[in-house]
Amino acid sequence: QLVTMGSPAPNDAPVEPIQAPPSLSSSPDTNVGPEFVAVILAATAGTRLFPLTSEGGDEHGGGGLSDDDDEFDALPQEPDSEEGGRDDGGTGDRNVGAKEAEAAAGTSSDDDDPTVPKHLLPVAGTSIVRRLLGSVASAGFSRCVVAVAASDNGLTAKSVLAEEAAASSGGGGSSSISRVGDHVLRLVIGGCSSSSSAGGGGKKGKGSTDGAVKTMEIYIVTLGASCGGSADAIRHLSGAGAVPASSHLVILPGDLVLAASLGDGSSLRLLADAHRRGQQSGCTRSERVGDASFAPPACTVLLSDVGDEDENGIPLKESAKGKKGGLARDEEDIEYIGLSSSATAPSPHQPSSPRRLVMKQSKVVVEEDEGTGSTPKLVLPKGRFRHPGGPTTTTIRTDLHDLHVYALSPWVVKLLSVRPGLSSLQKEVLPLLVSRQFRGVAAAFGSAALDGSSEAREALDDVIALEPFAYGGSTQGVGRDSITAAADDGDQQDGAGGGQRRSSPVSPPFAVSAQVLDRSTSRLSLRCATIPAYLYGCREVVAEAAKAGADVHKAVFPDGTQVNSKFQSIVLPESSVGEKVTLKSSTVGKGAKLGGRCRLNNVVIMDGAAVGDNCILQNSVLGAGCVIGENCNLNDCQVAPGAEVPSLTKEKGESFMR
C-alpha cells in the first residue's frame, strides 16, 4: 500500500554496497574497538510464546512481563535465583556432558521447570541464538555481546557449547566454539566455503569469501535487575565496558531468525554497508564540511518487505496471507512507515539503496478513532520537508515490517547515558531520533543541553567535536544548521541542572535511515516472537534447506537427521517413528516418540515428546517432554513442555498446561 507525496527526488540513483566486513576498524588507532559490534538482546521473557516458555513470572527469563513489553524491549526486572552464576567447564574443554545437554534443552530430570528462554527454542534442531551467532560470524563481525537475564545462570553458554559438542561428536559442521573465559566464547568459522559455514549453507551471499577463516569473540553479559527495556540494556552494557565507545552497535533481538541464504549473514552485511555508507556519503572531508545536506545516520533500521499480491497483482490483506501459507501479522505489528523515495519505485525482488526514515507510526495508534465516526489522521509535519537534505518525495507504506534490528552510531549510546528516562529503543528512542533528525543533534539531547553546567551539555559538546560532525575537532561548517535545543515540545529534563545557560550549541543534522530487504530475503527473515511466527520460521527453514541438497542438509541440520525433501520434513536423531506415519512440513525433535498411523501437517515436536498411535496433528507445537495420548486430534494447539494430553482429546485453538 503506497502513498506518494512531493516531487521526484533528483539524481537519486542506487549506490552499490560497499560490502566490506563490518569487523574492520575505520580508525588507525589500535586501541579503538571494531567498527561494528553485534549485540544480541537475549533476556526478553517471550510471553507471546506462552506456553512454550511460561507466563513470564517464573521462567528462566524471569520478570512478570506483558505482551506489549515483550516486543523486543522488555527485560526481566528481578532474577529468580542468585546461585549458579558461573558456567561449568572453564578449562576450555568443549566436551559438555549429556546432563548439561539435557539442561540446555530444558529436559533435565532434575529441573522442575522444563521451559527455556525463547532464544533457546529450537528451529530445525538448532537453537535460535546458535543460528543467529552463525549468521553474525558469517557476516564478518569479530565481536558479539549476548545480553542475558540475571537468572540465566550460564544456561545460554551451556546450550551453545552442548550443541557444538554434539555437532563435533557427529563429525558434522565447519565451525567450532570453545570457551576462552568464564563468560567468553570463541566461534570460528572457516576452512571451507561459506556455503557450509556454521548456521547454515546454501547459495553464497554477496561479498562472501571461500575458504576464509572467520573468528568471533562472544561475550555473555548478565544484565542488572534495573534493566527494564532495550535502551536500558545498551546503557548497562556501555557502562560495564562490554561495548567499545568508538564502535557502532548492531542491535539484534534474541528471537531473530535470519535464514536468508541459510545463515550466510548477507542481511547483516547489507545493514552495516547502509549505515557505513551514510557516514561517508561518498564525499571527502572538505566537501562534507560545506555540504548543508550531509546528515550521517544516527540509526539505520532493517526492514523486511512482507507484501504479497494475488494473481491479479492486488495486495493481499493479512488474513489472506495466512490462508495462502504466509505469515499474517497481528494488528499491533502493522505500522505506517514513511521513506524518502527515488524517482522510480523500487523493485520488491532486489534490495533497494538506503532511504531516510521520515515517519513510523503504529496502525493501531493512527486508527484509534476508527469506528467512532472520526476519520483516522496520519500526520506528517511539513517542517520535515523544509530542512536541507530533507525528503522531496516520501512514500508511506504498510507492507514493511520492523525486524527490530538497528545499527546505532556511537553518539547515540552517549545520548542514552544522559537521558535515562528512555527505556525502549523501538518505542521511545527511535521515535525521538526520527522527529529530531532535521532539527539536529542538540534537539535530540533535549533542553538539558542548553544548560552550561549539565552533563547533557558536556556530552553534546563531546559529540559535535568529533567525527562525523566536526572532522578532527573543528566545529567549522557545523554551525551552518545551528539550532537551539529549546524545550518547546515537552522534552524531558533528564540531567538538567540549575547552572547558567551559555550560548546555544551548534546542532549538526543527522539522519535515521532504513535498509529494506528484498521480498525473497524477507520471507526468511523474521522474529519468532509469537506461536504462528515460530511455526512459520521452523517450517520455512526446513523447507529452504530440504530442497537445497545433501551438502546443505549437513550444514543446517544436526548430524544424523532424516530429511524428507518431498514433504519438507525432518526427523532428528534418536527419535522413533511408527509405521504408516505421514509428515508434511513438520519437525520431530531429538529423542521424540511418534506412534503409528499418525498424520502431521505443519507441526513442531520438541525433544523428548511422545505421541500415541492414530493421532492427527495440524498447525501445532508440542513442547519438550510432553505426552500426547492415543487417538487425539489437535488443530492450532500448543502443548506446554512436560504437559500431558489425555487420549481421545479433540481440540482446536487450545493451550495445554503442565
Side-chain angles (χ1 to χ4, degrees):
Q1 303 177 23
L2 305 178
V3 180
T4 302
M5 301 180 179
S7 57
N11 302 323
D12 195 8
V15 182
E16 284 298 319
I18 299 174
Q19 289 296 345
S23 62
L24 296 181
S25 174
S26 58
S27 169
D29 187 351
T30 57
N31 294 322
V32 175
E35 182 187 8
F36 287 90
V37 172
V39 177
I40 299 176
L41 298 186
T44 50
T47 54
R48 296 176 73 185
L49 283 164
F50 176 78
L52 300 183
T53 51
S54 79
E55 293 178 290
D58 58 353
E59 67 160 323
H60 293 286
L65 304 174
S66 68
D67 286 343
D68 291 338
D69 288 338
D70 190 44
E71 288 305 296
F72 177 85
D73 294 303
L75 301 166
Q77 297 292 336
E78 296 181 2
D80 285 72
S81 171
E82 298 294 336
E83 301 177 358
R86 185 183 65 83
D87 298 336
D88 293 330
T91 60
D93 184 6
R94 292 187 291 110
N95 219 351
V96 181
K99 188 173 182 179
E100 284 189 343
E102 289 180 355
T107 58
S108 176
S109 58
D110 58 357
D111 187 358
D112 292 336
D113 185 3
T115 61
V116 296
K118 64 177 178 178
H119 65 279
L120 295 181
L121 288 175
V123 171
T126 302
S127 66
I128 295 175
V129 71
R130 176 61 185 90
R131 290 192 178 277
L132 185 54
L133 286 171
S135 294
V136 172
S138 296
F141 287 83
S142 62
R143 182 181 302 182
C144 178
V145 177
V146 181
V148 298
S151 55
D152 183 81
N153 291 336
L155 183 62
T156 296
K158 289 178 181 178
S159 174
V160 172
L161 290 170
E163 291 182 80
E164 194 63 31
S168 299
S169 62
S174 61
S175 66
S176 64
I177 294 184
S178 58
R179 188 190 299 275
V180 295
D182 285 345
H183 303 286
V184 183
L185 308 178
R186 177 177 291 128
L187 170 60
V188 179
I189 297 177
C192 61
S193 67
S194 61
S195 62
S196 57
S197 60
K203 59 184 179 180
K204 302 179 184 66
K206 185 175 181 180
S208 62
T209 304
D210 290 350
V213 177
K214 299 176 181 178
T215 302
M216 182 176 74
E217 301 288 337
I218 305 169
Y219 296 84
I220 300 179
V221 180
T222 301
L223 296 175
S226 61
C227 289
S230 53
D232 294 325
I234 301 305
R235 198 178 290 115
H236 175 90
L237 295 175
S238 176
V243 294
S246 61
S247 296
H248 300 260
L249 304 184
V250 176
I251 313 299
L252 306 114
D255 55 11
L256 180 68
V257 172
L258 289 177
S261 299
L262 296 178
D264 68 355
S266 58
S267 299
L268 298 182
R269 280 200 302 272
L270 192 64
L271 175 67
D273 282 338
H275 191 71
R276 178 193 288 122
R277 187 188 315 159
Q279 304 289 334
Q280 298 173 353
S281 189
C283 303
T284 64
R285 286 188 176 187
S286 59
E287 289 173 337
R288 279 182 274 165
V289 169
D291 183 4
S293 65
F294 173 62
C299 175
T300 303
V301 182
L302 188 64
L303 302 175
S304 60
D305 185 343
V306 296
D308 199 359
E309 295 85 24
D310 61 16
E311 59 275 8
N312 298 318
I314 300 176
L316 294 176
K317 296 182 178 180
E318 295 298 322
S319 57
K321 292 180 187 177
K323 295 178 181 178
K324 192 179 177 182
L327 179 60
R329 293 177 293 172
D330 294 336
E331 191 77 7
E332 59 266 26
D333 294 329
I334 303 174
E335 295 178 298
Y336 287 96
I337 296 178
L339 302 179
S340 61
S341 305
S342 60
T344 57
S347 169
H349 305 296
Q350 61 184 9
S352 61
S353 58
R355 301 297 178 193
R356 196 158 188 171
L357 183 61
V358 180
M359 66 156 290
K360 187 172 182 284
Q361 296 183 29
S362 168
K363 183 175 184 290
V364 173
V365 173
V366 171
E367 301 179 0
E368 60 184 353
D369 294 332
E370 190 174 10
T372 64
S374 301
T375 302
K377 297 178 178 62
L378 187 64
V379 179
L380 188 60
K382 291 188 296 183
R384 299 185 185 181
F385 295 89
R386 296 174 178 172
H387 289 273
T392 55
T393 304
T394 297
T395 300
I396 300 176
R397 304 173 60 174
T398 59
D399 60 350
L400 299 179
H401 185 66
D402 183 2
L403 292 171
H404 295 181
V405 178
Y406 309 124
L408 299 180
S409 293
W411 72 266
V412 178
V413 180
K414 188 177 289 289
L415 169 68
L416 296 180
S417 68
V418 298
R419 298 199 67 163
L422 300 174
S423 180
S424 164
L425 287 177
Q426 192 260 343
K427 296 177 181 178
E428 296 172 346
V429 178
L430 188 57
L432 172 70
L433 295 175
V434 169
S435 64
R436 306 298 171 85
Q437 59 182 317
F438 299 107
R439 294 174 52 195
V441 175
F445 274 80
S447 58
L450 289 174
D451 197 323
S453 63
S454 71
E455 180 185 356
R457 179 58 183 267
E458 293 177 2
L460 174 60
D461 289 343
D462 290 342
V463 167
I464 61 178
L466 299 174
E467 289 197 34
F469 300 115
Y471 316 114
S474 170
T475 56
Q476 283 188 340
V478 184
R480 63 191 181 274
D481 294 315
S482 298
I483 62 157
T484 60
D488 57 356
D489 54 357
D491 268 350
Q492 300 181 38
Q493 301 293 327
D494 296 334
Q500 182 179 2
R501 291 191 176 187
R502 44 177 149 165
S503 60
S504 299
V506 294
S507 187
F510 63 91
V512 179
S513 301
Q515 177 62 58
V516 181
L517 299 175
D518 63 86
R519 192 163 292 179
S520 176
T521 304
S522 298
R523 184 176 61 85
L524 289 170
S525 303
L526 72 154
R527 292 184 58 217
C528 294
T530 64
I531 295 292
Y534 177 68
L535 263 175
Y536 176 87
C538 292
R539 185 188 73 201
E540 291 302 316
V541 169
V542 171
E544 186 75 6
K547 65 184 181 182
D551 290 341
V552 175
H553 297 170
K554 294 179 181 179
V556 177
F557 305 131
D559 189 65
T561 300
Q562 302 176 40
V563 181
N564 186 328
S565 299
K566 180 179 180 181
F567 293 108
Q568 300 176 344
S569 299
I570 59 173
V571 177
L572 295 176
E574 303 176 19
S575 299
S576 63
V577 178
E579 298 180 349
K580 298 182 180 179
V581 170
T582 302
L583 298 175
K584 294 183 178 180
S585 302
S586 298
T587 297
V588 178
K590 183 178 180 180
K593 297 180 180 179
L594 188 58
R597 297 174 298 281
C598 291
R599 289 182 289 168
L600 278 66
N601 183 18
N602 193 28
V603 174
V604 174
I605 301 177
M606 295 189 184
D607 296 352
V611 180
D613 296 335
N614 301 307
C615 289
I616 301 175
L617 308 176
Q618 300 181 69
N619 306 316
S620 299
V621 184
L622 311 185
C626 71
V627 178
I628 310 297
E630 297 181 348
N631 299 295
C632 291
N633 190 329
L634 305 180
N635 187 0
D636 194 21
C637 292
Q638 305 86 42
V639 182
E644 296 186 7
V645 178
S647 298
L648 301 176
T649 298
K650 184 176 181 180
E651 293 290 351
K652 181 177 181 179
E654 292 292 331
S655 295
F656 295 88
M657 316 313 306
R658 187 173 180 229

